[in-house]
Amino acid sequence: MSAAPMDDRAESIRMIRDSAAAVAPPGGELKRVRDLRFQDPGFDAGVFRQMGEMGWIGLRLPEALGGAGLGLGEACALAEELGAGLVPEPLIPAMLSAGLLAAAGGKGALPVLLAGEVVVLTAWQEHPDTLEVPGTPDASRRFLPMAAGADFFLVPQQEGGRLALYELSAARSAVTVERTQDGGNLGMLTPNLREATKLADDIGPALAEALDEAALLTGAYLLGGMERAFAMTLDYLRTRQQFGRIIGTFQALQHRAADVKMQIALTRASIESAAAALDAGASGDARRAAVSRAKARAADAAMRVTRECIQLHGGIGYTDQYDVGLYLRKAMVLTNQYGSAALHRRRFMAVSPKVEE
């Protein structure tokens, strides 16, 4: 690859990061996030519309379908910045849905979804901790993030050995919503496809790719969160005094901070490597191995880093009023979305020998 395209790509990623400041201000101001916790729908529809106006929902779609035509390098950079700000709007689930609607030929709610005027969630999951999509007719679909604010649902259903895609209005759906640790919500949908519109006969391959991308973007979001939590912790270690000394000068705390920094660096390397592999056209087992390695690393590291950050803060870190705890709460919710660390390790072990061959 020549230097010019590499420079152009770096500039594109930098601009994406800068644009995130519109909804995730640098410095970690979390008042907006706190105000939305444990409220319905758990996010700001106006901010979601702003995401559409900036082209984020369609960032991965081709320009012919109204998207920006950018790669996973840019998408992961955006997710990372949003994770640093704990942005609650369901951008990653919306991007997944946009990919399926594009695979269906741009039918249904795609134009209004890309504009951020509606929230479309894909109801694909029937069982905990899986990336398999049975598409069982009439089966309940679970773990829908921010379902309290959905306008439409996409429902994959098994028909003749293929996964057909239906679009269902939330107003005509039976949805049960439960609160999550971070103040958001998860929904369970009991689909009534008699009220739905069929959009495509087979979206199985597109859905598998979309789930992989959602898993990788979730890993990037977790990376942003752990980096911000660590930055807050370093600030605390540099200012808090005990026994007349700055606690950051204590060797035991320095060793723990160094370990946290290493976990973050390894996670970044995994996320960026996977994004580069997918942007370069990795497919099949190579694609799955790259994604699973990155998501497993991010999920494990996010829990380890945020817990360690709270402990390094001492007693104040355990109070809900102190912001560092919000990052642990978010990690507790997101580490299992689109596959837990254990699931992705199993998948990596299953496919990596085939990649080496």
Side-chain angles (χ1 to χ4, degrees), residues 289-301:
V291 169
S292 285
R293 180 177 56 190
K295 180 58 163 61
R297 164 66 66 180
D300 279 342

PDB file of all heavy atoms in Angstrom, residues 289-301:
ATOM      1  N   ALA A 289     -11.964 -15.795  13.307  1.00  0.00           N
ATOM      2  CA  ALA A 289     -10.862 -15.870  14.261  1.00  0.00           C
ATOM      3  C   ALA A 289     -10.417 -14.473  14.698  1.00  0.00           C
ATOM      4  O   ALA A 289     -10.175 -14.232  15.884  1.00  0.00           O
ATOM      5  CB  ALA A 289      -9.687 -16.629  13.648  1.00  0.00           C
ATOM      6  N   ALA A 290     -10.304 -13.554  13.751  1.00  0.00           N
ATOM      7  CA  ALA A 290      -9.871 -12.194  14.083  1.00  0.00           C
ATOM      8  C   ALA A 290     -10.860 -11.513  15.008  1.00  0.00           C
ATOM      9  O   ALA A 290     -10.475 -10.870  15.997  1.00  0.00           O
ATOM     10  CB  ALA A 290      -9.687 -11.384  12.792  1.00  0.00           C
ATOM     11  N   VAL A 291     -12.141 -11.649  14.706  1.00  0.00           N
ATOM     12  CA  VAL A 291     -13.163 -11.016  15.530  1.00  0.00           C
ATOM     13  C   VAL A 291     -13.192 -11.636  16.925  1.00  0.00           C
ATOM     14  O   VAL A 291     -13.248 -10.922  17.937  1.00  0.00           O
ATOM     15  CB  VAL A 291     -14.547 -11.127  14.853  1.00  0.00           C
ATOM     16  CG1 VAL A 291     -15.655 -10.711  15.817  1.00  0.00           C
ATOM     17  CG2 VAL A 291     -14.590 -10.276  13.595  1.00  0.00           C
ATOM     18  N   SER A 292     -13.161 -12.949  16.999  1.00  0.00           N
ATOM     19  CA  SER A 292     -13.266 -13.613  18.296  1.00  0.00           C
ATOM     20  C   SER A 292     -12.061 -13.331  19.179  1.00  0.00           C
ATOM     21  O   SER A 292     -12.207 -13.149  20.397  1.00  0.00           O
ATOM     22  CB  SER A 292     -13.446 -15.121  18.100  1.00  0.00           C
ATOM     23  OG  SER A 292     -14.753 -15.407  17.667  1.00  0.00           O
ATOM     24  N   ARG A 293     -10.888 -13.276  18.605  1.00  0.00           N
ATOM     25  CA  ARG A 293      -9.711 -12.930  19.405  1.00  0.00           C
ATOM     26  C   ARG A 293      -9.858 -11.541  20.011  1.00  0.00           C
ATOM     27  O   ARG A 293      -9.574 -11.323  21.195  1.00  0.00           O
ATOM     28  CB  ARG A 293      -8.451 -12.999  18.538  1.00  0.00           C
ATOM     29  CG  ARG A 293      -7.163 -12.660  19.295  1.00  0.00           C
ATOM     30  CD  ARG A 293      -5.951 -12.816  18.403  1.00  0.00           C
ATOM     31  NE  ARG A 293      -6.062 -12.002  17.201  1.00  0.00           N
ATOM     32  CZ  ARG A 293      -5.239 -12.087  16.162  1.00  0.00           C
ATOM     33  NH1 ARG A 293      -4.280 -13.006  16.146  1.00  0.00           N
ATOM     34  NH2 ARG A 293      -5.390 -11.301  15.120  1.00  0.00           N
ATOM     35  N   ALA A 294     -10.331 -10.590  19.202  1.00  0.00           N
ATOM     36  CA  ALA A 294     -10.471  -9.216  19.673  1.00  0.00           C
ATOM     37  C   ALA A 294     -11.577  -9.077  20.712  1.00  0.00           C
ATOM     38  O   ALA A 294     -11.402  -8.411  21.737  1.00  0.00           O
ATOM     39  CB  ALA A 294     -10.744  -8.291  18.482  1.00  0.00           C
ATOM     40  N   LYS A 295     -12.735  -9.698  20.458  1.00  0.00           N
ATOM     41  CA  LYS A 295     -13.845  -9.556  21.402  1.00  0.00           C
ATOM     42  C   LYS A 295     -13.545 -10.255  22.727  1.00  0.00           C
ATOM     43  O   LYS A 295     -13.875  -9.737  23.809  1.00  0.00           O
ATOM     44  CB  LYS A 295     -15.127 -10.131  20.783  1.00  0.00           C
ATOM     45  CG  LYS A 295     -16.371 -10.039  21.684  1.00  0.00           C
ATOM     46  CD  LYS A 295     -16.701  -8.624  22.101  1.00  0.00           C
ATOM     47  CE  LYS A 295     -18.131  -8.486  22.625  1.00  0.00           C
ATOM     48  NZ  LYS A 295     -18.427  -9.288  23.805  1.00  0.00           N
ATOM     49  N   ALA A 296     -12.921 -11.429  22.687  1.00  0.00           N
ATOM     50  CA  ALA A 296     -12.564 -12.121  23.924  1.00  0.00           C
ATOM     51  C   ALA A 296     -11.586 -11.275  24.735  1.00  0.00           C
ATOM     52  O   ALA A 296     -11.731 -11.141  25.963  1.00  0.00           O
ATOM     53  CB  ALA A 296     -11.966 -13.487  23.619  1.00  0.00           C
ATOM     54  N   ARG A 297     -10.597 -10.721  24.073  1.00  0.00           N
ATOM     55  CA  ARG A 297      -9.618  -9.883  24.760  1.00  0.00           C
ATOM     56  C   ARG A 297     -10.301  -8.660  25.371  1.00  0.00           C
ATOM     57  O   ARG A 297     -10.071  -8.306  26.533  1.00  0.00           O
ATOM     58  CB  ARG A 297      -8.533  -9.457  23.776  1.00  0.00           C
ATOM     59  CG  ARG A 297      -7.664  -8.299  24.208  1.00  0.00           C
ATOM     60  CD  ARG A 297      -6.787  -8.599  25.403  1.00  0.00           C
ATOM     61  NE  ARG A 297      -5.784  -9.606  25.105  1.00  0.00           N
ATOM     62  CZ  ARG A 297      -4.898 -10.036  25.997  1.00  0.00           C
ATOM     63  NH1 ARG A 297      -4.923  -9.573  27.228  1.00  0.00           N
ATOM     64  NH2 ARG A 297      -4.002 -10.950  25.664  1.00  0.00           N
ATOM     65  N   ALA A 298     -11.147  -7.987  24.610  1.00  0.00           N
ATOM     66  CA  ALA A 298     -11.806  -6.766  25.094  1.00  0.00           C
ATOM     67  C   ALA A 298     -12.728  -7.061  26.268  1.00  0.00           C
ATOM     68  O   ALA A 298     -12.780  -6.296  27.237  1.00  0.00           O
ATOM     69  CB  ALA A 298     -12.578  -6.106  23.956  1.00  0.00           C
ATOM     70  N   ALA A 299     -13.477  -8.153  26.184  1.00  0.00           N
ATOM     71  CA  ALA A 299     -14.424  -8.485  27.249  1.00  0.00           C
ATOM     72  C   ALA A 299     -13.691  -8.782  28.556  1.00  0.00           C
ATOM     73  O   ALA A 299     -14.074  -8.280  29.627  1.00  0.00           O
ATOM     74  CB  ALA A 299     -15.287  -9.668  26.832  1.00  0.00           C
ATOM     75  N   ASP A 300     -12.660  -9.595  28.493  1.00  0.00           N
ATOM     76  CA  ASP A 300     -11.901  -9.913  29.702  1.00  0.00           C
ATOM     77  C   ASP A 300     -11.205  -8.668  30.258  1.00  0.00           C
ATOM     78  O   ASP A 300     -11.232  -8.406  31.466  1.00  0.00           O
ATOM     79  CB  ASP A 300     -10.851 -10.989  29.405  1.00  0.00           C
ATOM     80  CG  ASP A 300     -11.442 -12.394  29.412  1.00  0.00           C
ATOM     81  OD1 ASP A 300     -12.538 -12.578  29.962  1.00  0.00           O
ATOM     82  OD2 ASP A 300     -10.796 -13.306  28.851  1.00  0.00           O
ATOM     83  N   ALA A 301     -10.566  -7.911  29.382  1.00  0.00           N
ATOM     84  CA  ALA A 301      -9.802  -6.749  29.833  1.00  0.00           C
ATOM     85  C   ALA A 301     -10.710  -5.670  30.406  1.00  0.00           C
ATOM     86  O   ALA A 301     -10.339  -5.003  31.386  1.00  0.00           O
ATOM     87  CB  ALA A 301      -8.974  -6.186  28.680  1.00  0.00           C
TER      88      ALA A 301
END
